[in-house]
């Protein structure tokens, strides 16, 4: 087989071989490529395509061994590279195998049940049949091909489960494949293969639990909650298929596994309910009515508590089933030798141990009884949820003591349940056990009341069953339920409480067990006596050998006679079978006669159906005639008689011509006539609409002049109303202005004392305020320096840590590359290993040298950078210190000059300011509203703000802690005099003196901005100096002018 340098070439070569029909050669080529050592650890998308094509050819040629080897190889290949590719490949492989089976089934409708075992290559009988035939028939060939496809699909499921059993990322595909295999066994009725599949899944789960310690990352963890949930869902599907295939032992094992899984993780509510339901079916199939009733009770309690949206009908079905299952539980036996032996039998095979094991499946410690289940139904108010007949039966069986009327009272309810109308026949299966329980209850009550009874009276009392069945049930009651009863056929009576003869058959097994126990005890107490006894028995056997030979000869003759007797009996049986065959033939003839009668009945029904169709056609013809008459009348009214049907005008069509017309054409003509009528109505409505439109237009033209006059009248009324409203508003404002002047005159006398009091307080607080500002500036400066040093240290630490991390990563990467190279070199020859090792050592020396040089350069760069940063910080600190000192000098000079100005202002009398011309709104200057001028721009403050912005730009990366939302606060570069002052910190000379102070509506109370000088800020009316009082422009010329 040729080798390829690239996998693409192998795929291309395989496609060429497939095109020319050499499918086997193409498969060999792809298989050799997958097994090639060159591509062993190299996964690519091309390798994935090769694997998919490889598996498709294996499905086509049914080469399971080749497919298995390829899958295992591909799993090793993509385990670390791309495990998702294995999931895709497995899914395509499974779908291809399933599609092949569907195609084969479509071509040949064959039953898979004829194949005994899918794990065998071919059945024995088919091998023998092919050996005695010269050639296979076409049917045999098709069946053999179909069976081979089925076997291949079954092997596909097994291989996929084996490949995916331990990988955590392929866990979903594993469970999906298991469910596909379950469905395959269910559809094709394969119980043997299903049992092997269950054993395989069980073994895989046990293998996962064998691992101790930490589970690898890629392996399935059996303690993970998601893994347990997926496994639990798969086991529930397995339990459902087990019950459908009647594999009840496997169902019980699966239920045990589900219980173990549910104890590790909390399952979904529907899974727990399904678990109880199928567990009840298992116990019902095994005639264990006690645990079947307990399962129904647990399911009812769980569904009622967990499912909030359950319907009343569903709850009633569950409650009725639980009550009937409880009634089917046999009553507790009396204490006798059987119960004693059950309680004393050793080992796990005793009934009590089995019952305890069953109880563990329900997560209960004690074994339930009939009484406890009935008590739970009553105490937890579950009994009222059941149907009415079920509740009545419960009351009759549990509490009432009516031996003569028990069966008669229960029969109506049993018949109602047996009809199957109640809950679609879901409770019919409980009828026979219920009858047995009622019968045993009747026997118990009759034995307590009567000593004997005639058979006729007994038949009347036990009317629910015939006497032939009652005889068998009475024998079982006498044997198992401890009721002493005897039937006297000579006197036709039934005797209760009669002494019962010892039945040797019933005593056989207990006596055998007692004998075994006594023999074991004797062997332990006196083993020597036992050996002596055995020697004596051997001696007696040797002495009596002649007599034993004669006895055995006699037995042989008796056996020969028995064989002859059995031959005669066999011939007699054959005669009976021949008579049965004749009876069967007669029955077959009767069936054929019944089939003939059925055929005649079908023909009669067919004739009846044809007659009904004929009547239907006649009715349809009559309907068409009526429609034609109506159309003619409508045509006469609308004068549209030119309508035609199949070439004839409507008025020319007679009643006799209707038989030859198509009803659909008549209906179409009727629709066309209606369409014409509709169009005529639309045309008339359009004409009417046009006439109305012209009339409306004429009315609008006539009313246009009257509308203009009406609009002029409305405008005049509005103008007069507006003038009156303005006069009223002016009068109200004049009154408010007069009131304000009076209030001002009242409060002006308090201004001087207030100014003196405020000045006294401010003088004492200014010095403390200035000192606090200096302390705050020092603290802010020291804190900024500390923060900058801290940030520098933090940056240095982070740089060192990042550098160490880079070195560590680089060292780990180098080590990983070195290990990889060493692994590759181990596969090469010794000479190449030595050369590679020497070359790698030189590279490591060179890398260390380069690394050391880089580290030296980086350390030098960091040292130089830190030095530059320190110099820049020191220079900036010196500049800031110089600017601060210069600003302090300027502030002191400014404060001195302001103090001199204030003292001179107090000494000199205030000159009268010239009256400024007020702005006017109207030509007559009668507007009394004053307008405040905008404050002038302070160029000096703008320059200072620009200086502060430049200082902030010098800082690195916004490290100033005073930036952000509190940027309005003063920075360390600002002088105290440049900061905005609060209202209480203004000097007395800066307050009030604004023009037009009498205007109480002016916006003088707005907060000062940062760009306003103290002298330009507006002052309130009460803050004016004493010299300004009464000197307003309006006051000099008569303050009565309210418009100033």
């Amino acid at each position: 087989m040729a080798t390829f340098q690239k996998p693409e070439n192998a795929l291309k070569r395989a496609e060429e071989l497939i095109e020319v029909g050499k499918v086997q050669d193409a498969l060999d080529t792809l298989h050799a490529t997958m097994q090639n050592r060159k591509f062993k650890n190299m996964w690519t998308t091309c390798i994935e395509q090769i694997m998919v094509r490889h598996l498709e050819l294996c499905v086509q040629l049914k080469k399971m061994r080749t497919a298995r080897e390829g899958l295992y190889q591909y799993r090793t290949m993509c385990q670390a590279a791309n495990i998702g590719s294995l999931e895709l490949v497995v899914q395509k492989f499974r779908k291809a195998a399933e599609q092949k089976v569907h195609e084969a089934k479509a071509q040949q409708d064959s039953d898979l049940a004829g194949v005994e075992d899918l794990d065998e290559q071919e059945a024995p009988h088919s091998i023998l049949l092919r050996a005695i035939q010269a050639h296979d028939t076409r049917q045999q060939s098709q069946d053999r091909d179909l069976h081979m496809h089925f076997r291949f699909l079954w092997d596909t499921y097994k291989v996929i489960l084996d490949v995916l059993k331990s990988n955590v990322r392929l866990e979903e595909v594993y469970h999906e494949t298991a469910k596909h295999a379950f469905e395959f066994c269910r559809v094709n009725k394969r119980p043997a293969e299903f049992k092997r599949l269950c054993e395989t899944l069980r073994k895989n789960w046990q293998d996962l639990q064998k691992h101790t310690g930490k589970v690898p990352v890629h392996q399935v963890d059996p303690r993970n909650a998601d893994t347990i949930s997926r496994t639990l869902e798969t086991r529930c599907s397995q339990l459902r298929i087990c019950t459908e295939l009647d594999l009840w032992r496997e169902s019980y094992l699966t239920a045990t596994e589900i219980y173990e899984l549910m104890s590790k993780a909390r399952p979904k509510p529907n899974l727990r309910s399904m678990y109880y339901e199928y567990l009840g079916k298992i116990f019902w199939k095994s005639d264990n009515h006690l645990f079947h009733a307990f399962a129904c009770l647990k399911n009812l309690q769980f569904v009622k508590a967990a499912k909030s949206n359950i319907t009343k009908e569903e709850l009633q079905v569950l409650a009725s089933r639980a009550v009937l299952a409880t009634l089917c539980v046999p009553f507790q036996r009396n204490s006798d030798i059987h119960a004693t032996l059950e309680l004393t039998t050793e080992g796990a095979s005793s009934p009590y141990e089995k019952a305890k094991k069953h109880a563990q499946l329900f997560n209960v410690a004690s074994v339930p009884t009939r009484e406890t289940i009935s008590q739970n139904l009553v105490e937890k108010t579950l009994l009222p949820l059941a149907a009415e007949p079920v509740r009545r039966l419960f009351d009759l069986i549990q509490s009432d003591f009516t031996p003569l009327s028990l069966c008669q009272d229960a029969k109506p309810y049993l018949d109602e349940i047996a009809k199957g109308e109640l809950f679609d026949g879901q409770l019919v299966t409980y009828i026979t056990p219920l009858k047995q329980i009622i019968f045993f209850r009747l026997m118990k009550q009759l034995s307590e009341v009567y000593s004997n009874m005639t058979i006729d009276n007994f038949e009347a009392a036990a009317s629910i069953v015939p006497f032939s069945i009652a005889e068998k049930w009475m024998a079982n009651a006498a044997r198992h339920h401890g009721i002493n009863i005897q039937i006297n056929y000579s006197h036709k009576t039934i005797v209760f409480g009669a002494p019962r003869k010892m039945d040797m058959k019933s005593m056989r097994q207990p006596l055998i067990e007692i004998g075994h126990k006594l023999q074991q005890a004797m062997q332990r107490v006196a083993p020597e006596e036992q050996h002596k006894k055995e020697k004596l028995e051997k001696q007696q056997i040797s002495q009596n050998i002649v007599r034993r030979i004669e006895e055995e000869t006699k037995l042989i003759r008796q056996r020969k006679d028995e064989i002859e007797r059995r031959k005669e009996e066999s011939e007699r049986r054959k005669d009976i079978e021949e008579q049965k065959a004749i009876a069967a033939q007669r029955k077959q003839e009767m069936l054929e006669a019944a089939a003939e009668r059925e055929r005649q009945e079908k023909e009669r029904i067919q004739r009846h159906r044809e007659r009904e169709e004929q009547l239907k056609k006649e009715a349809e013809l009559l309907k068409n005639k009526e429609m034609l008459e109506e159309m003619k009348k409508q045509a006469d009214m609308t004068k549209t008689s030119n309508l035609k049907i199949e070439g004839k005008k409507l008025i020319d069509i007679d009643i006799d011509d209707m038989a030859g017309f198509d009803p659909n054409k008549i209906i179409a003509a009727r629709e066309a006539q209606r369409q014409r009528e509709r169009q005529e109505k639309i045309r008339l409505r359009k004409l009417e609409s046009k006439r109305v439109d012209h009339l409306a237009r004429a009315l609008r033209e006539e009313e246009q002049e009257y509308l203009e006059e009406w609009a002029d009248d409305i405008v005049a009324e509005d103008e007069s109303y507006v003038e009156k409203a303005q006069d009223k508003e002016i009068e109200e404002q004049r009154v408010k202005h007069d009131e304000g002047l009076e209030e001002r005159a009242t409060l002006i006398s308090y201004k001087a004392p207030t100014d003196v009091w405020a000045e006294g307080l401010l003088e004492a607080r200014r010095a403390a305020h200035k000192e606090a500002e200096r302390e705050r500036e020092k603290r802010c400066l020291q804190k900024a320096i500390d923060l900058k040093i801290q940030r520098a240290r933090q940056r240095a630490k982070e740089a060192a840590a990042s550098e160490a991390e880079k070195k560590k990563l680089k060292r780990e990467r180098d080590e990983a590359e070195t290990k990889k190279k060493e692994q590759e070199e181990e596969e090469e020859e010794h000479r190449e290993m030595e050369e590679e090792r020497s070359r790698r050592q030189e590279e490591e020396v060179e890398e260390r040298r380069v690394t050391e040089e880089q580290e030296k350069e980086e350390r030098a760069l960091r040292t130089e950078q830190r030095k530059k940063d320190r110099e820049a910080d020191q220079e900036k600190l010196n500049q800031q210190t110089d600017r601060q000192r210069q600003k302090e000098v300027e502030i002191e000079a400014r404060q001195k000059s302001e103090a001199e100005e204030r003292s001179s202002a107090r000494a000199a009398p205030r000159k009268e300011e010239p009256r400024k011309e007020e702005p006017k709104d109207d030509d007559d200057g009668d507007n009394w509203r004053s307008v405040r001028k905008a404050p002038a721009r302070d160029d000096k403050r703008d320059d200072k703000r620009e200086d502060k912005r430049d200082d902030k730009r010098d800082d690195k990366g916004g490290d100033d802690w005073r930036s952000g939302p509190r940027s309005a606060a003063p920075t360390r570069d600002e002088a105290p005099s440049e900061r905005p002052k609060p209202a209480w910190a203004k000097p007395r000379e800066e307050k009030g003196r604004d023009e037009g102070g009498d205007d109480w509506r002016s916006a003088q109370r707005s907060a000062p901005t940062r760009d306003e000088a103290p002298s330009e800020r507006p002052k309130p009316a009460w803050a004016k100096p004493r010299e300004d009082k009464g000197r307003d422009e309006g006051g000099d010329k008569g303050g009565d002018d309210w418009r100033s």
Side-chain angles (χ1 to χ4, degrees), residues 32 47 49 52 56 68 84 95 134 145 152 179 185 204 268 402 484 488 612 682 696 755 763 854 888 961 983 1027:
I47 295 293
Q49 296 174 3
V52 171
E56 289 178 355
R68 184 186 295 109
K95 290 179 181 178
D145 292 340
F152 187 85
K179 293 177 182 178
C185 295
N204 292 342
K268 298 178 181 178
T402 56
N484 296 330
N488 192 339
E612 288 180 351
I682 291 171
D755 293 342
E763 287 295 336
Q854 292 178 354
E888 289 177 355
W961 58 274
E1027 292 78 7

Side-chain angles (χ1 to χ4, degrees), residues 762-777:
L762 292 175
E763 287 295 336
R765 293 171 66 180
R766 283 196 185 99
H769 177 65
K770 290 180 181 179
E771 185 64 26
E773 286 182 346
R774 292 193 190 94
E775 293 295 331
R776 178 172 173 272
E777 288 292 333

Side-chain angles (χ1 to χ4, degrees), residues 601-717:
E601 181 66 19
K602 288 182 179 177
E603 290 178 355
R604 186 186 63 79
I605 294 172
Q606 181 67 24
R607 288 194 298 270
H608 179 68
R609 187 180 296 113
E610 290 175 356
R611 187 163 54 254
E612 288 180 351
E613 290 178 356
Q614 183 64 26
L615 293 174
K616 187 177 179 181
K617 288 181 180 179
E618 291 176 358
E620 188 175 1
L621 182 60
L622 181 60
K623 182 180 178 181
N624 292 335
K625 288 178 181 179
E626 294 176 355
M627 186 184 300
L628 183 62
E629 293 295 333
E630 185 182 355
M631 290 171 64
K632 286 182 178 181
K633 292 179 182 179
Q634 191 70 22
D636 294 338
M637 293 174 61
T638 57
K639 297 180 181 181
T640 56
S641 59
N642 57 351
L643 186 65
K644 293 183 180 181
I645 299 176
E646 293 187 356
K648 295 185 71 175
K649 290 186 178 181
L650 189 62
I651 58 177
D652 297 337
I653 297 175
D654 297 332
I655 301 300
D656 299 332
D657 299 334
M658 292 296 297
F661 286 166
D662 187 4
N664 295 327
K665 291 185 178 180
I666 297 174
I667 295 173
R670 173 63 177 164
E671 188 65 27
Q673 187 182 25
R674 290 179 178 176
Q675 189 68 22
R676 289 181 182 181
E677 294 174 1
R678 188 182 299 110
Q679 291 177 358
E680 182 65 21
K681 290 180 181 179
I682 291 171
R683 186 180 67 80
L684 295 175
R685 288 177 182 175
K686 286 184 178 179
L687 292 175
E688 182 68 19
S689 176
K690 187 176 181 180
R691 187 183 67 78
V692 173
D693 191 15
H694 290 173
L695 179 61
R697 186 181 299 172
L699 291 174
R700 292 288 180 88
E701 291 176 356
E702 291 295 330
E703 70 181 1
Q704 184 65 32
E705 297 179 0
Y706 299 102
L707 287 175
E708 292 177 358
E709 294 178 1
W710 175 78
D712 295 340
D713 295 341
I714 293 298
V715 169
E717 291 178 0

Side-chain angles (χ1 to χ4, degrees), residues 521-539:
M522 289 298 295
Q523 288 179 358
R524 293 181 180 178
V525 173
E528 295 84 6
E529 295 292 335
Q530 186 71 17
H531 292 314
K532 291 179 181 180
K533 187 176 179 180
E534 290 177 358
K535 290 180 180 180
L536 292 175
E537 288 177 355
K538 290 180 181 179
Q539 292 176 2

Side-chain angles (χ1 to χ4, degrees), residues 407-439:
C407 293
Q408 286 80 359
D409 295 340
K411 188 174 181 181
Y413 307 124
L414 292 175
D415 294 340
E416 185 178 355
I417 297 172
K419 287 179 182 178
E421 297 177 357
L422 190 63
F423 307 126
D424 297 332
Q426 298 183 27
L427 307 178
V428 177
T429 55
Y430 295 101
I431 295 299
T432 302
L434 276 175
K435 288 183 178 179
Q436 291 181 356
I437 292 298
I438 293 172
F439 182 79

Side-chain angles (χ1 to χ4, degrees), residues 108-110 136-145 147:
Q108 176 67 23
D109 188 9
S110 179
D136 288 342
T137 62
R138 181 180 179 182
Q139 182 65 31
Q140 291 176 349
S141 300
Q142 292 178 353
D143 291 346
R144 186 165 58 253
D145 292 340
H147 296 163

